[in-house]
């Protein structure tokens, strides 16, 4: 797992780790797309974000999950459509930056 640290507040030494490697299990379970990631010891909860295109193409990701687990089942994805998924770690100070995205689709 590759992780990057970012300072939480200017002038402090506190960091929250950004999760860079997430895995979207491509169409292996009918009716949902499962997104997995490794636990972040600094995180209280995780945010799961989804978009049809990358942010660099003008797409705005939508938060589809807010949970303490390290996996999320996206049952709202359209069957056959490919999505980009991101995860943010969140603690009491706020959220990390977006993870590196992974693509996935639902059967």
């Amino acid at each position: 797992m590759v992780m990057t640290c970012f300072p939480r507040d200017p002038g402090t030494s506190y960091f929250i780790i950004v999760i860079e490697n997430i895995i979207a299990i491509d169409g292996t379970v009918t009716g949902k797309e499962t997104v997995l990631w490794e636990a972040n010891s600094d995180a209280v909860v995780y945010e799961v974000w989804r978009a049809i295109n990358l942010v660099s193409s003008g797409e705005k990701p939508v938060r589809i999950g807010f949970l303490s687990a390290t996996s999320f089942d996206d049952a709202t994805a359209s069957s056959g459509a490919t999505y980009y998924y991101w995860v943010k770690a969140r603690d009491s100070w706020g959220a990390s930056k977006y993870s590196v995205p992974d693509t996935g689709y639902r059967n």
Side-chain angles (χ1 to χ4, degrees):
M1 178 173 168
V2 177
M3 296 185 279
T4 306
C5 294
F6 291 95
R8 296 298 299 141
D9 295 309
T12 68
S13 59
Y14 181 74
F15 292 87
I16 188 165
I17 297 172
V18 174
I19 300 167
E20 292 184 352
N21 292 329
I22 65 169
I23 301 168
I25 309 298
D26 298 332
T28 57
V29 179
T30 302
K32 64 183 177 180
E33 171 59 21
T34 300
V35 182
L36 308 166
W37 58 94
E38 290 186 37
N40 175 332
S41 61
D42 292 329
V44 175
V45 293
Y46 301 96
E47 298 176 1
V48 180
W49 295 75
R50 180 183 78 194
I52 295 173
N53 296 301
L54 287 172
V55 174
S56 59
S57 68
E59 184 80 17
K60 284 188 137 184
V62 175
R63 188 174 73 185
I64 58 170
F66 191 80
L67 63 159
S68 59
T70 56
S71 67
F72 178 78
D73 291 330
D74 182 6
T76 64
S78 296
S79 182
T82 298
Y83 294 95
Y84 289 90
Y85 291 93
W86 295 264
V87 176
K88 288 184 175 185
R90 179 172 277 282
D91 65 6
S92 59
W93 291 89
S96 68
K97 294 185 179 186
Y98 289 107
S99 66
V100 172
D102 192 34
T103 58
Y105 61 90
R106 172 186 160 191
N107 279 333

